[in-house]
Amino acid sequence: MGKISRRKFLAAGVAGAVAGSIGGARSAWAAPKLQGYPDGMGVLVDLTRCIGCRTCEAACNAEHNLPAPQEPFDDLSVLEKESHNGAKRRTDESAYTVVNRYEIPGSDTPVFRKMQCNHCNEPSCLTSCFVNAYTKTGEGAVIYDPEVCVGCRMCMVACPFYVPAYSYSSALNPLIVKCNFCYDNRLVHGQPPACVEACPQEAMVFGHREQLLAIGRERIRYQPDKYVDHIYGEKEVGGTAWMYLSGVPFEQVGFDTTLQKEPIISNVKGFLGMVPMVLAIWPALFTGFHMLAKKRERNAAADCQDDKKGESR
Amino acid sequence: MQARLKRRTEILAFLAFFSLWAVHCTAADLPDTVEIDGLAKYYYAVDFDHSMHIDIVESCAACHHHTAGTPAVDEKCTMCHDRTEASSPVACQRCHAPDPFSAEQVYSRERESRRYHVDKPGLKGAYHRSCLGCHISEGAPIGCQDCHERNQLGDSLFKASLETPNAKVAAGGGGGTH
Ligand code: SF4
Ligand code: SF4
Ligand code: SF4
C-alpha cells in the first residue's frame, strides 16, 4: 500500500510547485494566477452527521502527542463553552481541532461543527509569511516549518478562519501550531487523517477534492430538503481542501459567509502594489528577526551542550 | 493454469458457502447475539442482542436493507433495484468496508467513478448511522458507553483520568457565578 499511496496522492497535484515561491517575492506577487491543487486530497465534513462526541478531538490529541486538555474528551459540557464575549471554542496550542455546539433558532436539535485548518488551495497564511515557513503540498496539506518561523504571527492575522494559534508556553522558540492534515505521519503514507478515521459517524469523507465535490453535490441533489444548497469551501477564498455540508444556514453554525470567492492573495497583491516600500523593507526586517532568533537558538543549544558536557564529566 | 484452477475452486467453494449461509439465515436459524468487535482497540466487543432487536423492529429490512430475505425499500435503491431479489450477503461487513479511507478504497472508488455506489459508508459509519439513527428517534440510549464499554486504552485516549470540573459543577448543582 505504501507504494501506490504516496505516488498516487501526488500524481494529480504536481501542478503546484507554487507554494514555495514567496521567497522570491517578486515572482510570487507577479503571478496572480496560482493554479491551486484541484486534485489534492481533502475532507468533506457533513454537519448533519456529526453527533458532537469529540472522538475526533481525542484522536487528534493522541496522534500529535498534544498536551492534555483541561477536561477529558468525554466531557461533553465543553461543547457549550463560550468565552465572555460569546465566542465559541477555538483551536489553540493544545488542540488542532475543536467541536462546538450550536443551538438553532426554531429547532430543538443542536448542530455540531468540527473546525480545524481548512487547508486552503491558496492559503493566506502562506502568502502572508515572509520567511516562507508554510508549504502547500501536492497532497493538499498546508504544513508549517517551525525551524523557519520567526514568530511574527502574520499568519494568525491573515487566516480568514482564525486557525493558526500561538504557542505561548515555549517562549524561547516561538511556534505557531495548527492542524497539518496529519501530513507526515499519515497522509504521505496513504492513510487518512486520525480524526477522520476515528469518527464513529463517518461525518467526514476523505478523498480527492474533486470526488468530494461530486459526493457533496450528490447528497444535496438526493436530499434537497435536508441540505443547504451550498458546499462551504468549494469556492470560498479560492477553495479549500476541507469542505462542509450543512442542514442549516452556514452563518448559524459559525461560518463566515461573507468571505470572497477569490483567494485572499489577490487583495494582498493590490495592497502591496500601492505600497511598494513594504516589499522592500519587510523581507529585510524579517530576515533580521529571523537571524536574531536563530542566533538565540544557537546560543541556547550551545548552552545545552555545555550543560551536557558538564554532566557527562 | 494450476493457479487459475485453484483460484476457481476457491471461488466456487466461497460461493457455495455463502449460498448455504444465506439459506440458513432465512430459515429462522438466526443468531441470538452477534459479537461486534470492530472497535476492539478502544472498546470491549459489543454483544449485540440480536433477538431483542428482532422482537422490536417491524422487519429485518429496518437494518438489513435489501438482504436477509427482504428486498430493497429505500427509495434511493428502488430506483434501480425495484425488482432485484434480496442480495445474499447478510453481515454488514460483506458490503461495508472496515477501512473506507485507505488508499486502496479511495482509489477503487475513483477507478469506478461511474458506479453509483461511490458514497457507500464504511463499516463503522454504517453501524453507527443505522443504530444511532433509530436510537435517537426511538429514545433508546445514545451515550457512547451505553453500548461500548471502554477499555484501558480507550480511557487513555479520552484522557478519562482527568478531573472533570464541569461534571463536579453539575453534580454540585450550583453552577458558576457568571
Ligand atoms: S468524531 Fe465525528 S461525530 Fe464525533 S464530534 Fe468529531 S466529527 Fe462529530
Ligand atoms: S485555513 Fe488558515 S491556516 Fe489553514 S491553510 Fe487556510 S489560511 Fe492557512
Ligand atoms: S487532520 Fe490530523 S491534525 Fe488535522 S485535525 Fe485531523 S487529526 Fe488533527
Side-chain angles (χ1 to χ4, degrees), chain A residues 1 4-5 8-9 41 49 51 53-55 58-59 61-62 66 68-75 77-78 81 84 190-192 196-208 211 215 218-219 221-222, chain B residues 39 42-43 74-77 79 97 100-104 106-107 109-111 113 116 118-126 128-129 132 136 142 144-145 150 157-167 178:
Chain A
M1 154 162 132
I4 50 166
S5 49
K8 289 209 182 152
F9 279 174
M41 308 306 288
R49 295 183 178 182
I51 51 169
C53 68
R54 301 186 69 209
T55 307
N61 179 284
L66 297 179
Q70 294 216 304
E71 293 90 12
F73 288 109
D74 54 8
D75 180 351
S77 66
V78 303
K81 247 195 197 170
H84 288 289
Q191 292 163 356
V196 171
E197 194 174 85
C199 175
Q201 285 284 93
E202 243 172 68
M204 298 168 267
V205 180
F206 168 74
H208 284 100
Q211 195 187 25
I215 289 178
E218 182 57 25
R219 286 191 193 169
R221 194 186 69 80
Y222 176 60
Chain B
L39 301 179
Y42 298 118
Y43 299 91
D74 187 332
E75 191 189 320
K76 195 175 179 178
C77 312
M79 282 191 294
F101 305 121
S102 66
E104 283 90 345
V106 167
Y107 288 115
R109 262 200 294 278
E110 288 175 15
R111 261 196 311 277
S113 61
Y116 184 71
V118 286
D119 196 10
K120 183 174 68 182
L123 186 60
K124 182 168 54 170
H128 282 109
R129 296 220 301 271
L132 208 48
I136 290 171
I142 56 169
C144 303
Q145 295 205 70
R150 221 162 47 196
L157 179 77
F158 280 86
K159 307 282 183 283
S161 58
L162 287 176
E163 290 266 305
T164 357
N166 287 314
H178 50 263

Side-chain angles (χ1 to χ4, degrees), chain A:
Chain A
M1 154 162 132
K3 224 181 225 162
I4 50 166
S5 49
R6 163 113 216 224
R7 200 138 3 96
K8 289 209 182 152
F9 279 174
L10 270 170
V14 188
V18 186
S21 48
I22 273 294
R26 180 83 204 93
S27 62
W29 301 129
K33 273 217 175 116
L34 295 180
Q35 290 307 304
Y37 299 80
D39 298 318
M41 308 306 288
V43 173
L44 180 67
V45 188
D46 189 332
L47 301 188
T48 68
R49 295 183 178 182
C50 175
I51 51 169
C53 68
R54 301 186 69 209
T55 307
C56 49
E57 289 187 40
C60 179
N61 179 284
E63 180 75 23
H64 298 280
N65 288 317
L66 297 179
Q70 294 216 304
E71 293 90 12
F73 288 109
D74 54 8
D75 180 351
L76 300 184
S77 66
V78 303
L79 295 171
E80 282 150 74
K81 247 195 197 170
E82 288 183 355
S83 60
H84 288 289
N85 57 12
K88 295 283 186 184
R89 289 200 306 150
R90 289 243 307 262
T91 50
D92 63 29
E93 59 181 300
S94 60
Y96 295 173
T97 182
V98 295
V99 180
N100 285 315
R101 173 191 165 114
Y102 294 84
E103 302 302 332
I104 305 303
S107 153
D108 26 324
T109 334
V111 173
F112 301 96
R113 174 203 169 191
K114 174 187 186 294
M115 68 167 287
Q116 70 300 304
C117 172
N118 285 332
H119 300 275
C120 305
N121 290 348
E122 294 165 23
S124 52
C125 55
L126 182 152
T127 50
S128 75
C129 179
F130 288 88
V131 293
N132 202 13
Y134 284 90
T135 309
K136 173 82 174 172
T137 74
E139 295 90 340
V142 176
I143 57 170
Y144 155 88
D145 182 355
E147 292 292 316
V148 183
C149 173
V150 295
C152 76
R153 302 189 232 180
M154 278 298 279
C155 52
M156 294 173 63
V157 180
C159 171
F161 306 108
Y162 305 99
V163 165
Y166 192 69
S167 165
Y168 290 96
S169 51
S170 56
L172 240 191
N173 187 17
L175 269 185
I176 295 292
V177 283
K178 74 165 194 74
C179 152
N180 67 355
F181 211 153
C182 291
Y183 181 69
D184 358 277
N185 36 356
R186 288 173 155 265
L187 207 55
V188 295
H189 303 299
Q191 292 163 356
C195 55
V196 171
E197 194 174 85
C199 175
Q201 285 284 93
E202 243 172 68
M204 298 168 267
V205 180
F206 168 74
H208 284 100
R209 187 172 184 272
E210 282 308 302
Q211 195 187 25
L212 298 179
L213 281 168
I215 289 178
R217 288 195 199 102
E218 182 57 25
R219 286 191 193 169
I220 295 172
R221 194 186 69 80
Y222 176 60
Q223 291 181 299
D225 298 337
K226 180 173 175 183
Y227 291 104
V228 171
D229 187 11
H230 184 73
I231 302 177
Y232 191 95
E234 176 177 8
K235 303 255 171 65
E236 279 75 9
V237 294
T240 55
W242 282 61
M243 298 175 287
Y244 291 84
L245 289 178
S246 174
V248 300
F250 280 95
E251 54 275 13
Q252 291 185 358
V253 278
F255 287 88
D256 184 348
T257 49
T258 64
L259 290 178
Q260 61 194 35
K261 300 287 175 258
E262 300 77 36
I264 287 181
I265 184 174
S266 314
N267 328 7
V268 179
K269 185 175 159 272
F271 167 71
L272 289 178
M274 290 185 316
V275 196
M277 281 300 280
V278 173
L279 264 187
I281 292 171
W282 283 27
L285 196 64
F286 281 98
T287 311
F289 278 172
H290 182 58
M291 285 168 66
L292 263 178
K294 289 290 136 181
K295 191 168 165 209
R296 211 167 38 181
E297 228 169 61
R298 267 198 307 276
N299 288 345
D303 287 352
C304 233
Q305 286 281 317
D306 288 349
D307 287 354
K308 277 210 192 102
K309 267 187 223 143
E311 274 164 27
S312 60
R313 248 182 253 135

